[in-house]
């Protein structure tokens, strides 16, 4: 067994002011997994970030976060609507180690030849798109596309979007299948709507349901292009184009009152954008036909709620207990 001299101790020295500040900064980020905003840092660490010159504090925080990043801590800024360091928090990503696969150019070239040495399958095409997403120039020019089955009416058509756009332009009905439903539906497509940055929906009159419906575009399979003109004569309104979850018609319209913590007011207003509400002094009155969407906001940000009606509180508690019960069986 080795002696004490074989394992010399690291010399212990007192931390300087910068080291104390960085340690406290890191400790608070670890303690608050949801993140901490610039203003909140000033409140919980007044010794370091509560000077009269707020811009000086802001620059100091940037420098300190940058130093923690250089030490290997993966610090991010939460993306909630329009970014503002005063209200949208910094957080420490749980998985800071880069576990993604790295390929050299030679390895990618070899993989491309292996993938396309034979007739590529749809799965092979999908895999290649992921592997070469940032290196498309390395896919061989001789790469073939998968063949379509001859004479098969059940073959998935890759031009559904083009057919839908043409039907909107010509005002012609379409026969479609939607999602996993094997039944066919006749729709009259009115307009494509983009929600967020990547999600596309189709506003169309469903002849079977006799009402205007919203269809997620990738789930639509066009089975037949009809020459029939629209039987409906609808006028698309702003309400039809508003996809806010609070406006989904799940029940009769209800009004609820809330008091919101000042640190969360900007996030709350972004959440309510497109919804009818009134603010009287420090109270928000919100009208909705889908109160479950309100539950989701406060599940993610429970600290935002200062005060609400007893009726709403009871409904919210019932909702959370139902999910708690469900999770016990997982």
């Amino acid at each position: 067994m080795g002696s004490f001299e074989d394992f010399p101790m690291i010399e212990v020295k007192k931390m300087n002011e910068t080291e104390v500040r960085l340690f406290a900064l890191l400790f608070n980020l670890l303690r608050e997994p949801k993140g901490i905003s610039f203003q909140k840092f000033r409140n919980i660490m007044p010794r370091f970030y509560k000077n009269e010159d707020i811009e000086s504090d802001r620059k100091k925080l940037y420098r300190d976060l940058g130093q923690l990043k250089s030490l290997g801590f993966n610090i991010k800024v939460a993306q909630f609507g329009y970014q503002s360091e005063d209200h949208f928090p910094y957080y420490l990503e749980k998985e800071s180690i880069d576990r993604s696969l790295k390929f050299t150019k030679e390895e990618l070239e070899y993989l491309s030849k292996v993938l396309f040495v034979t007739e590529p399958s749809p799965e092979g095409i999908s895999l290649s798109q992921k592997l070469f997403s940032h290196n498309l120039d390395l896919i061989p020019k001789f790469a073939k596309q998968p063949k379509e089955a001859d004479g098969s009416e059940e073959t998935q058509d890759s031009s559904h979007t083009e057919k839908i756009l043409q039907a909107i332009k010509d005002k012609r009905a379409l026969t479609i299948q939607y999602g996993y439903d094997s039944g066919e539906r006749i729709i009259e497509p009115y307009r494509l709507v983009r929600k967020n940055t990547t999600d596309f929906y189709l506003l169309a009159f469903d002849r079977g349901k006799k009402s205007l419906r919203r269809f997620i575009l990738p789930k639509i399979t066009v089975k037949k292009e009809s020459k029939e003109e629209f039987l409906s004569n609808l006028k698309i309104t702003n309400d039809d184009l508003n996809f806010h979850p609070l406006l989904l018609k799940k029940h009769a319209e209800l009004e609820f009152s809330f008091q919101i913590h000042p640190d969360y007011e900007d996030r709350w207003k972004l959440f309510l954008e497109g919804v009818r509400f009134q603010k009287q002094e420090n109270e928000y009155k919100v009208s909705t036909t889908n109160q479950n969407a309100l539950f989701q906001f406060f599940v993610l940000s429970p600290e935002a709620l200062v005060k609400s009606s007893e009726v709403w509180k009871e409904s919210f508690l019932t909702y959370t207990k139902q999910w708690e019960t469900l999770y016990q069986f997982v």
Side-chain angles (χ1 to χ4, degrees):
M1 186 173 179
S3 65
F4 176 78
E5 287 76 14
D6 294 330
F7 303 97
M9 295 289 288
I10 297 173
E11 183 183 354
V12 178
K13 63 177 182 178
K14 187 177 180 180
M15 288 193 295
N16 60 37
E17 183 76 359
T18 300
E19 290 169 333
V20 170
R21 188 172 71 249
L22 290 176
F23 181 82
L25 186 62
L26 179 60
F27 178 79
N28 280 302
L29 285 168
L30 289 168
R31 191 175 63 175
E32 295 286 346
K34 292 181 180 178
I36 306 173
S37 68
F38 169 65
Q39 293 290 2
K40 191 170 181 181
F41 270 126
R42 299 192 80 218
N43 292 333
I44 64 177
M45 298 177 65
R47 172 182 166 187
F48 307 112
Y49 306 112
K50 199 71 171 179
N51 298 316
E52 291 183 5
D53 187 350
I54 190 170
E55 289 304 316
S56 174
D57 281 343
R58 197 188 307 276
K59 291 176 182 177
K60 185 196 292 186
L61 179 64
Y62 285 167
R63 287 197 301 270
D64 291 343
L65 291 171
Q67 194 163 348
L68 288 177
K69 282 185 180 182
S70 69
L71 294 172
F73 296 100
N74 198 358
I75 296 167
K76 303 285 187 181
V77 179
Q79 298 296 321
F80 298 108
Y82 298 103
Q83 183 175 315
S84 166
E85 69 274 18
D86 292 344
H87 302 284
F88 300 110
Y90 298 95
Y91 67 97
L92 186 64
E93 190 142 275
K94 292 180 181 178
E95 184 55 81
S96 296
I97 301 173
D98 186 1
R99 294 175 178 267
S100 60
L101 289 173
K102 303 291 184 183
F103 295 99
T104 65
K105 181 179 179 181
E106 291 74 18
E107 287 172 331
L108 285 171
E109 287 176 338
Y110 178 78
L111 280 171
S112 70
K113 292 174 183 177
V114 171
L115 282 169
F116 292 100
V117 70
T118 58
E119 190 73 37
S121 64
E123 292 78 14
I125 293 291
S126 175
L127 176 60
S128 67
Q129 288 171 342
K130 293 171 184 173
L131 284 174
F132 302 101
S133 60
H134 300 292
N135 301 274
L136 295 177
D137 57 311
L138 296 179
I139 296 181
K141 293 180 181 178
F142 56 82
K144 302 175 183 178
Q145 295 298 318
K147 284 185 178 179
E148 294 183 1
D150 295 333
S152 173
E153 293 182 358
E154 296 301 322
T155 302
Q156 290 293 319
D157 191 342
S158 61
S159 61
H160 301 306
T161 304
E162 288 84 350
K163 291 179 178 178
I164 291 168
L165 289 170
Q166 191 63 45
I168 293 173
K169 180 181 177 182
D170 297 340
K171 293 192 174 182
R172 304 287 183 180
L174 292 172
T175 301
I176 67 165
Q177 282 184 344
Y178 188 61
Y180 295 107
D181 186 2
S182 58
E184 294 187 348
R185 302 164 75 167
I186 300 176
I187 63 169
E188 299 174 3
Y190 274 86
R191 190 178 299 185
L192 280 183
V193 180
R194 184 172 72 175
K195 180 185 176 187
N196 302 322
T197 56
T198 57
D199 300 330
F200 282 86
Y201 291 78
L202 174 67
L203 283 179
F205 178 79
D206 188 321
R207 288 184 179 176
K209 306 287 185 181
K210 296 182 179 179
S211 62
L212 189 70
R213 294 298 174 107
R214 295 167 178 174
F215 299 88
I216 301 172
L217 190 61
K219 291 187 177 182
I220 300 174
T221 301
V222 177
K223 303 301 290 183
K224 182 182 176 184
E225 294 175 271
S226 172
K227 294 183 179 180
E228 296 180 25
E229 294 183 354
F230 287 4
L231 299 179
S232 61
N233 185 22
L234 303 179
K235 199 167 189 179
I236 303 301
T237 66
N238 288 334
D239 288 341
D240 296 323
L241 299 174
N242 193 335
F243 280 61
H244 199 292
L246 286 173
L247 299 179
L248 294 176
K249 298 189 184 300
K250 298 293 185 180
H251 50 68
E253 187 174 73
L254 300 172
E255 186 180 83
F256 300 101
S257 297
F258 301 96
Q259 285 186 21
I260 303 299
H261 192 282
D263 287 349
Y264 292 84
E265 277 201 275
D266 276 13
R267 194 182 304 181
W268 173 246
K269 288 176 183 176
L270 282 172
F271 172 72
L272 293 180
E273 191 172 338
V275 176
R276 191 157 51 86
F277 72 91
Q278 292 180 339
K279 185 180 180 184
Q280 297 177 350
E281 295 181 353
N282 61 343
E283 186 175 73
Y284 288 86
K285 291 188 176 181
V286 182
S287 297
T288 178
T289 52
N290 179 26
Q291 70 166 331
N292 278 18
L294 286 165
F295 298 157
Q296 294 168 22
F297 177 86
F298 291 109
V299 165
L300 293 173
S301 304
E303 301 91 346
L305 184 62
V306 175
K307 185 179 179 182
S308 65
S309 68
E310 292 301 321
V311 174
W312 191 87
K313 275 185 183 177
E314 188 175 338
S315 300
F316 184 49
L317 286 173
T318 302
Y319 175 83
T320 52
K321 284 179 181 178
Q322 286 174 347
W323 279 103
E324 184 181 359
T325 303
L326 286 172
Y327 272 108
Q328 290 176 356
F329 296 100
V330 175

